[in-house]
Amino acid sequence: MQNEGQLVIFELADQLYALPIQETQEIIRMTDITKVPNTKHFVEGIINLRGSIVPVINLNRRLGLPEKEYDESTRIIVTEFNGQKVGMIVDNVQEVGRYTGDEVEPPAVAGDNVDYLKGVVKKGEELWLLLNLGKVI
């Protein structure tokens, strides 16, 4: 891990999560999502992003967290993984934060969704849960 990196900090069910900025393409406002039948339960549907069809997942549902109604602060974080763009619906995007390697600790918890975490970033009193994009998608 490099000495310093940047993370997109976002909120899910009143907890802060983070994704490395290099895995993030853009952040867009909530938009109309076309439902697609027979997809996994956490797939919300697809969107047309400037001519590209991008699948969108509900990240709260994917991680088994309580869902809230979409509102003004709901955002879609468009990521790219292995050449495939995927949008992830989050409750709120906070900021782009910096962190250093020594602020990251392994996720010291056991549970079903622990695979989705790469680590925990300690920032003062705050904890940012660092998502493992490959496992989420």
Side-chain angles (χ1 to χ4, degrees):
M1 179 179 264
Q2 69 273 49
N3 269 348
E4 186 173 296
Q6 287 186 303
L7 296 169
V8 175
I9 313 301
F10 57 93
E11 208 173 296
L12 293 173
D14 298 324
Q15 168 67 53
L16 293 178
Y17 287 79
L19 265 181
I21 195 138
Q22 60 272 19
E23 294 178 359
T24 309
Q25 294 275 303
E26 63 185 300
I27 297 162
I28 60 173
R29 290 185 167 284
M30 195 60 191
T31 183
D32 289 335
I33 297 176
T34 304
K35 299 275 186 216
V36 180
N38 301 324
T39 52
K40 293 192 166 111
H41 75 283
F42 55 83
V43 175
E44 198 74 10
I46 53 176
I47 58 171
N48 181 344
L49 188 63
R50 292 185 297 282
S52 297
I53 301 300
V54 177
V56 176
I57 66 172
N58 181 313
L59 204 49
N60 277 329
R61 202 177 304 147
R62 177 71 174 118
L63 299 178
L65 299 168
E67 295 175 50
K68 63 176 244 190
E69 292 287 312
Y70 300 147
D71 60 24
E72 278 299 301
S73 53
T74 305
R75 293 289 180 271
I76 298 174
I77 299 177
V78 180
T79 61
E80 189 165 327
F81 187 74
N82 287 345
Q84 168 68 53
K85 281 186 175 20
V86 175
M88 300 189 303
I89 300 170
V90 301
D91 296 345
N92 190 352
V93 172
Q94 299 273 348
E95 60 175 327
V96 173
R98 294 186 167 281
Y99 72 104
T100 57
D102 55 12
E103 291 173 311
V104 180
E105 296 195 358
V109 289
D112 295 341
N113 288 339
V114 77
D115 293 356
Y116 297 138
L117 296 181
K118 270 201 288 218
V120 178
V121 180
K122 291 194 309 198
K123 272 298 207 195
E125 294 298 301
E126 290 186 332
L127 293 178
W128 300 340
L129 300 179
L130 194 53
L131 276 189
N132 182 341
L133 193 60
K135 292 280 193 240
V136 172
I137 297 175

